[in-house]
Amino acid sequence: MKSIIARQPNTSKQGLDFKYIAIAGLLALLPFTVNATAKSVEDSPNWHTIRDSLFPDTAIAQDALVTLETPVRAQDAAIVPLSIKVNVQQDDPNPIEKIFLVVDNNPSPIVGIFDMTPNNGIANLSTRVRVNAYSPVRVIARTADGSLHMAANFVKAAGGCSAPAGADDMLARQRMGKMKLKDLGQDGSRALQLLISHPNYSGLQMDQLTRHWIPSDYVSDVNITLEGEPVLRFNGGISISENPTFTFHVDKGKKGKLKADVKDSTGRSFSSEWDI
């Protein structure tokens, strides 16, 4: 595994993207049970509300186009690993355009929305999420023709959204915005892992010394480009783990300057670049 050192980090402020906030705000107005007691992906009262908000009157197929790998029982509910795999290449006539990641029983159930591009080669993804209560975890892939394809697993984990941060607050804030890119090698396409230092406070955590609530402060937007061309965009909320990691793919024939532009919910902006 090769690490690629970032250069020229930038911390200038920019405006927030409100796309995710609008979706989350809509869900907040609808009937919702945070402490749902679903015992399977089918027995989930919250999914109907989420589905009607994101995909009204649209059929969702459960087929082999997309698969989801998760632990059955998470070792740490604040950093639950998951891997999304698709069975279509991005040069296919009907490639993956968007991937929606949902944890039904989280206070903010929409983990995030990924915009995929032809530059991915394949739209496989891996990341880590918070899981606040035993919950179905879902991935919904939308193809270029507008059709939806879902995979879902039931994950046993609790307390992930309110779990104390794993690092000292002062140290976490000093490292905030630092990024690293790892080259995971090639197998049909090139797999890269972006690691972002950020405490990703959910707003549901308490400072263990002061006993005061820590305000929400999380990575809301990640935009990855190669030589100025779009590769991947993530727009999300509090359900991504602290120190977010995103493993994605780049077409193995692509080379040049890869850039990651990151925004958080407070308005901070960070940028890093690498030659790949």
PDB file of all heavy atoms in Angstrom, residues 83-103:
ATOM      1  N   SER A  83     -18.780  -1.423   2.636  1.00  0.00           N
ATOM      2  CA  SER A  83     -18.239  -1.449   1.271  1.00  0.00           C
ATOM      3  C   SER A  83     -19.379  -1.657   0.285  1.00  0.00           C
ATOM      4  O   SER A  83     -20.210  -2.541   0.466  1.00  0.00           O
ATOM      5  CB  SER A  83     -17.213  -2.575   1.135  1.00  0.00           C
ATOM      6  OG  SER A  83     -16.659  -2.612  -0.161  1.00  0.00           O
ATOM      7  N   ILE A  84     -19.413  -0.813  -0.733  1.00  0.00           N
ATOM      8  CA  ILE A  84     -20.440  -0.855  -1.773  1.00  0.00           C
ATOM      9  C   ILE A  84     -19.790  -1.327  -3.066  1.00  0.00           C
ATOM     10  O   ILE A  84     -18.768  -0.780  -3.489  1.00  0.00           O
ATOM     11  CB  ILE A  84     -21.062   0.542  -1.980  1.00  0.00           C
ATOM     12  CG1 ILE A  84     -21.721   1.033  -0.687  1.00  0.00           C
ATOM     13  CG2 ILE A  84     -22.046   0.535  -3.132  1.00  0.00           C
ATOM     14  CD1 ILE A  84     -21.980   2.526  -0.673  1.00  0.00           C
ATOM     15  N   LYS A  85     -20.385  -2.336  -3.684  1.00  0.00           N
ATOM     16  CA  LYS A  85     -19.869  -2.832  -4.949  1.00  0.00           C
ATOM     17  C   LYS A  85     -20.988  -2.873  -5.976  1.00  0.00           C
ATOM     18  O   LYS A  85     -22.128  -3.210  -5.645  1.00  0.00           O
ATOM     19  CB  LYS A  85     -19.257  -4.229  -4.777  1.00  0.00           C
ATOM     20  CG  LYS A  85     -18.025  -4.233  -3.882  1.00  0.00           C
ATOM     21  CD  LYS A  85     -17.402  -5.611  -3.787  1.00  0.00           C
ATOM     22  CE  LYS A  85     -16.162  -5.573  -2.905  1.00  0.00           C
ATOM     23  NZ  LYS A  85     -15.544  -6.923  -2.769  1.00  0.00           N
ATOM     24  N   VAL A  86     -20.660  -2.507  -7.214  1.00  0.00           N
ATOM     25  CA  VAL A  86     -21.646  -2.517  -8.292  1.00  0.00           C
ATOM     26  C   VAL A  86     -21.186  -3.457  -9.394  1.00  0.00           C
ATOM     27  O   VAL A  86     -19.990  -3.717  -9.551  1.00  0.00           O
ATOM     28  CB  VAL A  86     -21.877  -1.092  -8.855  1.00  0.00           C
ATOM     29  CG1 VAL A  86     -22.374  -0.154  -7.769  1.00  0.00           C
ATOM     30  CG2 VAL A  86     -20.597  -0.532  -9.479  1.00  0.00           C
ATOM     31  N   ASN A  87     -22.140  -3.963 -10.129  1.00  0.00           N
ATOM     32  CA  ASN A  87     -21.848  -4.910 -11.205  1.00  0.00           C
ATOM     33  C   ASN A  87     -22.049  -4.288 -12.569  1.00  0.00           C
ATOM     34  O   ASN A  87     -22.669  -4.873 -13.461  1.00  0.00           O
ATOM     35  CB  ASN A  87     -22.723  -6.158 -11.040  1.00  0.00           C
ATOM     36  CG  ASN A  87     -22.357  -6.961  -9.814  1.00  0.00           C
ATOM     37  OD1 ASN A  87     -21.183  -7.204  -9.551  1.00  0.00           O
ATOM     38  ND2 ASN A  87     -23.356  -7.354  -9.038  1.00  0.00           N
ATOM     39  N   VAL A  88     -21.528  -3.063 -12.729  1.00  0.00           N
ATOM     40  CA  VAL A  88     -21.577  -2.378 -14.013  1.00  0.00           C
ATOM     41  C   VAL A  88     -20.389  -1.421 -14.077  1.00  0.00           C
ATOM     42  O   VAL A  88     -20.025  -0.808 -13.075  1.00  0.00           O
ATOM     43  CB  VAL A  88     -22.919  -1.619 -14.180  1.00  0.00           C
ATOM     44  CG1 VAL A  88     -23.097  -0.564 -13.103  1.00  0.00           C
ATOM     45  CG2 VAL A  88     -23.016  -0.987 -15.562  1.00  0.00           C
ATOM     46  N   GLN A  89     -19.748  -1.342 -15.222  1.00  0.00           N
ATOM     47  CA  GLN A  89     -18.638  -0.422 -15.416  1.00  0.00           C
ATOM     48  C   GLN A  89     -19.175   0.964 -15.760  1.00  0.00           C
ATOM     49  O   GLN A  89     -20.288   1.107 -16.282  1.00  0.00           O
ATOM     50  CB  GLN A  89     -17.711  -0.921 -16.529  1.00  0.00           C
ATOM     51  CG  GLN A  89     -17.065  -2.277 -16.246  1.00  0.00           C
ATOM     52  CD  GLN A  89     -16.043  -2.223 -15.136  1.00  0.00           C
ATOM     53  OE1 GLN A  89     -15.276  -1.273 -15.033  1.00  0.00           O
ATOM     54  NE2 GLN A  89     -16.025  -3.257 -14.298  1.00  0.00           N
ATOM     55  N   GLN A  90     -18.369   1.978 -15.515  1.00  0.00           N
ATOM     56  CA  GLN A  90     -18.816   3.345 -15.768  1.00  0.00           C
ATOM     57  C   GLN A  90     -18.790   3.735 -17.244  1.00  0.00           C
ATOM     58  O   GLN A  90     -19.300   4.797 -17.602  1.00  0.00           O
ATOM     59  CB  GLN A  90     -17.988   4.335 -14.942  1.00  0.00           C
ATOM     60  CG  GLN A  90     -18.301   4.295 -13.443  1.00  0.00           C
ATOM     61  CD  GLN A  90     -19.740   4.625 -13.120  1.00  0.00           C
ATOM     62  OE1 GLN A  90     -20.604   3.747 -13.119  1.00  0.00           O
ATOM     63  NE2 GLN A  90     -20.037   5.891 -12.867  1.00  0.00           N
ATOM     64  N   ASP A  91     -18.212   2.892 -18.101  1.00  0.00           N
ATOM     65  CA  ASP A  91     -18.299   3.143 -19.543  1.00  0.00           C
ATOM     66  C   ASP A  91     -19.463   2.376 -20.172  1.00  0.00           C
ATOM     67  O   ASP A  91     -19.625   2.360 -21.389  1.00  0.00           O
ATOM     68  CB  ASP A  91     -16.980   2.804 -20.247  1.00  0.00           C
ATOM     69  CG  ASP A  91     -16.571   1.335 -20.093  1.00  0.00           C
ATOM     70  OD1 ASP A  91     -17.303   0.574 -19.408  1.00  0.00           O
ATOM     71  OD2 ASP A  91     -15.518   0.948 -20.639  1.00  0.00           O
ATOM     72  N   ASP A  92     -20.278   1.744 -19.325  1.00  0.00           N
ATOM     73  CA  ASP A  92     -21.484   1.063 -19.787  1.00  0.00           C
ATOM     74  C   ASP A  92     -22.490   2.098 -20.294  1.00  0.00           C
ATOM     75  O   ASP A  92     -22.494   3.242 -19.829  1.00  0.00           O
ATOM     76  CB  ASP A  92     -22.088   0.267 -18.623  1.00  0.00           C
ATOM     77  CG  ASP A  92     -23.244  -0.614 -19.041  1.00  0.00           C
ATOM     78  OD1 ASP A  92     -22.979  -1.756 -19.447  1.00  0.00           O
ATOM     79  OD2 ASP A  92     -24.403  -0.154 -18.958  1.00  0.00           O
ATOM     80  N   PRO A  93     -23.363   1.755 -21.240  1.00  0.00           N
ATOM     81  CA  PRO A  93     -24.382   2.719 -21.703  1.00  0.00           C
ATOM     82  C   PRO A  93     -25.308   3.213 -20.586  1.00  0.00           C
ATOM     83  O   PRO A  93     -25.918   4.272 -20.721  1.00  0.00           O
ATOM     84  CB  PRO A  93     -25.165   1.919 -22.752  1.00  0.00           C
ATOM     85  CG  PRO A  93     -24.210   0.881 -23.237  1.00  0.00           C
ATOM     86  CD  PRO A  93     -23.379   0.515 -22.051  1.00  0.00           C
ATOM     87  N   ASN A  94     -25.411   2.447 -19.491  1.00  0.00           N
ATOM     88  CA  ASN A  94     -26.286   2.840 -18.388  1.00  0.00           C
ATOM     89  C   ASN A  94     -25.509   2.760 -17.063  1.00  0.00           C
ATOM     90  O   ASN A  94     -25.772   1.892 -16.225  1.00  0.00           O
ATOM     91  CB  ASN A  94     -27.527   1.933 -18.346  1.00  0.00           C
ATOM     92  CG  ASN A  94     -28.596   2.452 -17.399  1.00  0.00           C
ATOM     93  OD1 ASN A  94     -28.746   3.656 -17.205  1.00  0.00           O
ATOM     94  ND2 ASN A  94     -29.328   1.539 -16.788  1.00  0.00           N
ATOM     95  N   PRO A  95     -24.558   3.677 -16.854  1.00  0.00           N
ATOM     96  CA  PRO A  95     -23.688   3.601 -15.677  1.00  0.00           C
ATOM     97  C   PRO A  95     -24.377   4.128 -14.410  1.00  0.00           C
ATOM     98  O   PRO A  95     -25.497   4.647 -14.453  1.00  0.00           O
ATOM     99  CB  PRO A  95     -22.523   4.507 -16.071  1.00  0.00           C
ATOM    100  CG  PRO A  95     -23.173   5.565 -16.918  1.00  0.00           C
ATOM    101  CD  PRO A  95     -24.238   4.833 -17.707  1.00  0.00           C
ATOM    102  N   ILE A  96     -23.695   4.011 -13.283  1.00  0.00           N
ATOM    103  CA  ILE A  96     -24.182   4.548 -12.011  1.00  0.00           C
ATOM    104  C   ILE A  96     -23.957   6.060 -11.999  1.00  0.00           C
ATOM    105  O   ILE A  96     -22.850   6.542 -12.250  1.00  0.00           O
ATOM    106  CB  ILE A  96     -23.436   3.922 -10.815  1.00  0.00           C
ATOM    107  CG1 ILE A  96     -23.529   2.394 -10.853  1.00  0.00           C
ATOM    108  CG2 ILE A  96     -23.967   4.485  -9.503  1.00  0.00           C
ATOM    109  CD1 ILE A  96     -24.906   1.842 -10.688  1.00  0.00           C
ATOM    110  N   GLU A  97     -25.012   6.824 -11.697  1.00  0.00           N
ATOM    111  CA  GLU A  97     -24.899   8.277 -11.591  1.00  0.00           C
ATOM    112  C   GLU A  97     -24.857   8.757 -10.149  1.00  0.00           C
ATOM    113  O   GLU A  97     -24.129   9.691  -9.815  1.00  0.00           O
ATOM    114  CB  GLU A  97     -26.060   8.964 -12.316  1.00  0.00           C
ATOM    115  CG  GLU A  97     -25.916   8.988 -13.816  1.00  0.00           C
ATOM    116  CD  GLU A  97     -26.863   9.977 -14.472  1.00  0.00           C
ATOM    117  OE1 GLU A  97     -27.867  10.380 -13.838  1.00  0.00           O
ATOM    118  OE2 GLU A  97     -26.598  10.360 -15.634  1.00  0.00           O
ATOM    119  N   LYS A  98     -25.672   8.152  -9.281  1.00  0.00           N
ATOM    120  CA  LYS A  98     -25.712   8.555  -7.879  1.00  0.00           C
ATOM    121  C   LYS A  98     -25.812   7.332  -6.983  1.00  0.00           C
ATOM    122  O   LYS A  98     -26.414   6.313  -7.366  1.00  0.00           O
ATOM    123  CB  LYS A  98     -26.917   9.465  -7.590  1.00  0.00           C
ATOM    124  CG  LYS A  98     -26.777  10.896  -8.094  1.00  0.00           C
ATOM    125  CD  LYS A  98     -27.963  11.752  -7.664  1.00  0.00           C
ATOM    126  CE  LYS A  98     -27.856  13.168  -8.205  1.00  0.00           C
ATOM    127  NZ  LYS A  98     -26.774  13.931  -7.559  1.00  0.00           N
ATOM    128  N   ILE A  99     -25.228   7.445  -5.791  1.00  0.00           N
ATOM    129  CA  ILE A  99     -25.350   6.412  -4.772  1.00  0.00           C
ATOM    130  C   ILE A  99     -25.821   7.085  -3.483  1.00  0.00           C
ATOM    131  O   ILE A  99     -25.213   8.047  -3.016  1.00  0.00           O
ATOM    132  CB  ILE A  99     -24.015   5.679  -4.550  1.00  0.00           C
ATOM    133  CG1 ILE A  99     -23.699   4.805  -5.774  1.00  0.00           C
ATOM    134  CG2 ILE A  99     -24.055   4.840  -3.279  1.00  0.00           C
ATOM    135  CD1 ILE A  99     -22.367   4.091  -5.704  1.00  0.00           C
ATOM    136  N   PHE A 100     -26.923   6.578  -2.934  1.00  0.00           N
ATOM    137  CA  PHE A 100     -27.495   7.089  -1.690  1.00  0.00           C
ATOM    138  C   PHE A 100     -27.178   6.095  -0.582  1.00  0.00           C
ATOM    139  O   PHE A 100     -27.407   4.886  -0.746  1.00  0.00           O
ATOM    140  CB  PHE A 100     -29.011   7.249  -1.803  1.00  0.00           C
ATOM    141  CG  PHE A 100     -29.460   8.177  -2.898  1.00  0.00           C
ATOM    142  CD1 PHE A 100     -29.504   7.747  -4.221  1.00  0.00           C
ATOM    143  CD2 PHE A 100     -29.853   9.481  -2.619  1.00  0.00           C
ATOM    144  CE1 PHE A 100     -29.929   8.598  -5.238  1.00  0.00           C
ATOM    145  CE2 PHE A 100     -30.283  10.329  -3.621  1.00  0.00           C
ATOM    146  CZ  PHE A 100     -30.318   9.901  -4.938  1.00  0.00           C
ATOM    147  N   LEU A 101     -26.702   6.588   0.543  1.00  0.00           N
ATOM    148  CA  LEU A 101     -26.369   5.742   1.684  1.00  0.00           C
ATOM    149  C   LEU A 101     -27.260   6.137   2.852  1.00  0.00           C
ATOM    150  O   LEU A 101     -27.302   7.317   3.233  1.00  0.00           O
ATOM    151  CB  LEU A 101     -24.891   5.905   2.033  1.00  0.00           C
ATOM    152  CG  LEU A 101     -24.305   5.000   3.111  1.00  0.00           C
ATOM    153  CD1 LEU A 101     -24.538   3.529   2.777  1.00  0.00           C
ATOM    154  CD2 LEU A 101     -22.806   5.285   3.253  1.00  0.00           C
ATOM    155  N   VAL A 102     -27.980   5.161   3.428  1.00  0.00           N
ATOM    156  CA  VAL A 102     -29.006   5.432   4.437  1.00  0.00           C
ATOM    157  C   VAL A 102     -28.842   4.488   5.627  1.00  0.00           C
ATOM    158  O   VAL A 102     -28.629   3.280   5.446  1.00  0.00           O
ATOM    159  CB  VAL A 102     -30.420   5.260   3.829  1.00  0.00           C
ATOM    160  CG1 VAL A 102     -31.496   5.387   4.904  1.00  0.00           C
ATOM    161  CG2 VAL A 102     -30.662   6.264   2.706  1.00  0.00           C
ATOM    162  N   VAL A 103     -28.943   5.040   6.840  1.00  0.00           N
ATOM    163  CA  VAL A 103     -29.055   4.243   8.064  1.00  0.00           C
ATOM    164  C   VAL A 103     -30.421   4.575   8.660  1.00  0.00           C
ATOM    165  O   VAL A 103     -30.618   5.648   9.223  1.00  0.00           O
ATOM    166  CB  VAL A 103     -27.924   4.558   9.063  1.00  0.00           C
ATOM    167  CG1 VAL A 103     -28.089   3.719  10.334  1.00  0.00           C
ATOM    168  CG2 VAL A 103     -26.554   4.297   8.436  1.00  0.00           C
TER     169      VAL A 103
END
